[in-house]
Amino acid sequence: MPRSLEPLDLGLQIPYHFRCPISLELMRDPVTVCTGQTYDRTSIESWVSTGNNNTTCPVTRAPLSDHTLIPNHTLRRLIQEWCVANRSNGVERIPTPKQPADPTSVRALLSQASAACGTHVSVRSRAAALRRLRAFARDSEKNRVLIAAHNAKEILIRILFSDVAPELVSESLALLVIFPMTEPDQCVSIISDPGRVGFLTRLLFDSSIETRVNAAALIEMVVTGTKAADIKGTVLTTECIFEGVIDLLRNPTVTSSPRRALKIGVKALFALCLAKNTRCIAVSSGAPEILIDRLAAGLDRCDTERALATVELLCRTPEGCAAFGEHALTVPLLVKTILRVSDRATEYAAGALLALCTAEERWREEAVAAGVVVQLLLMVQSECTERAKRKGQKLLKLLRDSWPDYSFANSDDFGCSEVVPF
């Protein structure tokens, strides 16, 4: 219940005409329907969306022949003044709501943004239209659905890859990454085109840090949305892509939103490493060092899981194992992660340790010294995933010779199962 309604329990009466006839609560965004009746926007939208017999006005029962909702600014200002007058009773002033996008405005803005060069529409006007659309998209999911329904993504892709004006490139890119790239054809149209991939790669080194972050975000989206592994592996074999993404992870604080830069950098690096023939490039570009440094510095749970999944992927290559093994923090960090973050994080850490300990004896000894045996024994008896347990069992068997002092060193309780591919 909104805080502004709490004083009702103390006897404060909300004026009748300030209440929504549907919810009976204080209206925060009053709108008038075609019958002349006013409701809170959320309530009447919910009423209409339920269908059935709800195509009539809830109060008058007259048909809602037009679902246009007209903001009742006068009533909203009266409600706000009442809230201010009753501030001493604990009532908070309701904020002035942002008006939702409407189909007519969206069509006009998209038309203005996509105007051809040489027309009367200037670059500045086109960029202003894109900024207005971005403001709408940021306001609500409903606005994003409306904008996407007007073929916005195709229009934005065309602007991004055909216009040379930096302002249009940055604005179209910033708007495009707000929408999920769920259509495989759109993803393939970008990732299968070396020219487009090269353009996005150059944007990773743009003078605008926001453009760099958004370029990495779009790369991650189209790579993830493309199912054909051969396309990914063919186009993404350039060190520049990895260098650009890794630089975001190395210097996230230069952005206005370091958390977003880190999240997008981790997601993009993971997506790029899903193709087997890109992993050696990731290693040579410095991915192992930056991943361990970022994990040691601390990431949120989702980013930690994705970063550890990337570590495990890269450890499947000899070059990756060597690079991670040489980092002084790798083995102790992976051991410490087990059972500390989440089941997924445990699984990926165990998988990476298994690859490292299989590669060289010195890393087995380092893992044992870091306390991995106790962690693994706890893990195989825990509620973690079956894949994690199988990796733990295989790792325990591999480490037998490294912990002879334990009475269960020669036990056959920890048999090996095949490791399920990540």
Side-chain angles (χ1 to χ4, degrees):
M1 180 179 290
R3 185 175 173 182
S4 57
L5 301 184
E6 292 175 358
L8 281 176
D9 298 333
L10 304 177
L12 179 64
Q13 296 298 316
I14 295 178
Y16 175 78
H17 56 287
F18 288 178
R19 293 175 179 268
C20 174
I22 298 175
S23 67
L24 301 181
E25 295 179 350
L26 183 70
M27 287 187 282
R28 306 180 70 80
D29 186 7
V31 293
T32 302
V33 298
C34 61
T35 62
Q37 184 65 45
T38 297
Y39 303 92
D40 195 41
R41 182 186 295 276
T42 302
S43 296
I44 190 63
E45 286 181 341
S46 177
W47 170 273
V48 172
S49 67
T50 57
N52 300 322
N53 296 322
N54 294 337
T55 55
T56 58
C57 176
V59 171
T60 67
R61 295 299 175 185
L64 291 176
S65 56
D66 183 356
H67 290 169
T68 301
L69 304 178
I70 302 173
N72 192 329
H73 296 299
T74 300
L75 180 56
R76 174 182 47 77
R77 283 193 289 268
L78 289 172
I79 293 174
Q80 288 176 323
E81 290 172 1
W82 178 84
C83 290
V84 172
N86 288 278
R87 183 179 298 167
S88 60
N89 293 316
V91 180
E92 291 186 353
R93 181 182 183 276
I94 62 171
T96 300
K98 295 180 179 179
Q99 295 306 310
D102 62 88
T104 301
S105 297
V106 169
R107 284 193 294 269
L109 289 169
L110 285 171
S111 176
Q112 180 178 331
S114 58
C117 295
T119 64
H120 65 283
V121 182
S122 66
V123 168
R124 179 176 296 180
S125 295
R126 294 176 64 192
L130 290 170
R131 281 192 292 272
R132 181 61 179 149
L133 285 166
R134 181 155 57 130
F136 275 139
R138 283 176 167 174
D139 281 348
S140 69
E141 175 64 22
K142 183 179 178 181
N143 284 356
R144 291 191 287 275
V145 171
L146 174 62
I147 295 170
H150 285 77
N151 200 34
K153 283 187 280 188
E154 285 293 341
I155 293 172
L156 293 170
I157 289 172
R158 187 164 60 249
I159 295 173
L160 174 62
F161 292 110
S162 63
D163 273 280
V164 295
E167 191 175 7
L168 292 176
V169 169
S170 62
E171 290 295 341
S172 60
L173 177 61
L175 178 55
L176 182 59
V177 297
I178 293 177
F179 302 98
M181 297 290 287
T182 55
E183 296 82 357
D185 289 346
Q186 286 180 338
C187 295
V188 171
S189 72
I190 296 174
I191 200 171
S192 64
D193 186 331
R196 289 183 168 184
V197 173
F199 180 71
L200 288 177
T201 302
R202 291 193 293 276
L203 291 182
L204 290 173
F205 301 91
D206 193 84
S207 57
S208 165
I209 187 62
E210 183 182 13
T211 297
R212 292 168 57 194
V213 173
N214 288 332
L218 184 57
I219 289 172
E220 185 273 328
M221 291 165 69
V222 297
V223 171
T224 302
T226 305
K227 303 302 181 184
D230 56 334
I231 294 178
K232 298 179 190 178
T234 301
V235 178
L236 300 175
T237 53
T238 168
E239 287 191 4
C240 289
I241 294 181
F242 289 92
E243 290 170 358
V245 170
I246 289 170
D247 191 57
L248 284 181
L249 293 172
R250 186 175 289 114
N251 302 297
T253 55
V254 299
T255 71
S256 58
S257 179
R259 288 190 63 182
R260 179 172 181 258
L262 277 176
K263 182 171 291 293
I264 288 175
V266 170
K267 289 178 69 175
L269 185 57
F270 172 68
L272 290 168
C273 290
L274 287 174
K276 291 182 179 180
N277 60 340
T278 65
R279 294 171 192 170
C280 290
I281 301 172
V283 172
S284 63
S285 300
E289 180 182 2
I290 195 63
L291 282 169
I292 296 301
D293 288 347
R294 282 295 156 208
L295 284 166
L299 297 169
D300 67 25
R301 183 179 62 82
C302 289
D303 292 343
T304 296
E305 291 174 351
R306 194 171 279 111
L308 287 168
T310 310
V311 172
E312 185 180 12
L313 285 174
L314 296 181
C315 280
R316 294 180 182 179
T317 67
E319 298 86 351
C321 266
F324 280 110
E326 294 302 327
H327 196 300
L329 295 179
T330 298
V331 172
L333 185 146
L334 293 175
V335 172
K336 184 179 179 180
T337 298
I338 293 175
L339 300 178
R340 293 287 184 90
V341 179
S342 67
D343 286 350
R344 285 187 176 183
T346 293
E347 178 184 330
Y348 304 145
L353 281 169
L354 179 59
L356 288 167
C357 292
T358 302
E360 290 198 30
E361 183 179 354
R362 58 178 172 141
W363 295 327
R364 293 197 290 272
E365 295 173 351
E366 188 177 349
V368 171
V372 72
V373 174
V374 173
Q375 292 291 85
L376 292 174
L377 290 172
L378 291 172
M379 186 183 84
V380 297
Q381 299 176 65
S382 70
E383 299 296 324
C384 65
T385 66
E386 289 302 314
R387 287 194 295 184
K389 288 182 181 180
R390 285 194 287 269
K391 291 174 182 178
Q393 290 166 348
K394 191 168 186 178
L395 187 50
L396 277 168
K397 187 172 183 180
L398 181 67
L399 295 174
R400 278 185 177 185
D401 294 339
S402 300
W403 36 286
D405 293 338
Y406 286 89
S407 60
F408 40 75
N410 295 318
S411 173
D412 291 325
D413 291 340
F414 305 108
C416 292
S417 301
E418 285 299 317
V419 178
V420 177
F422 169 70

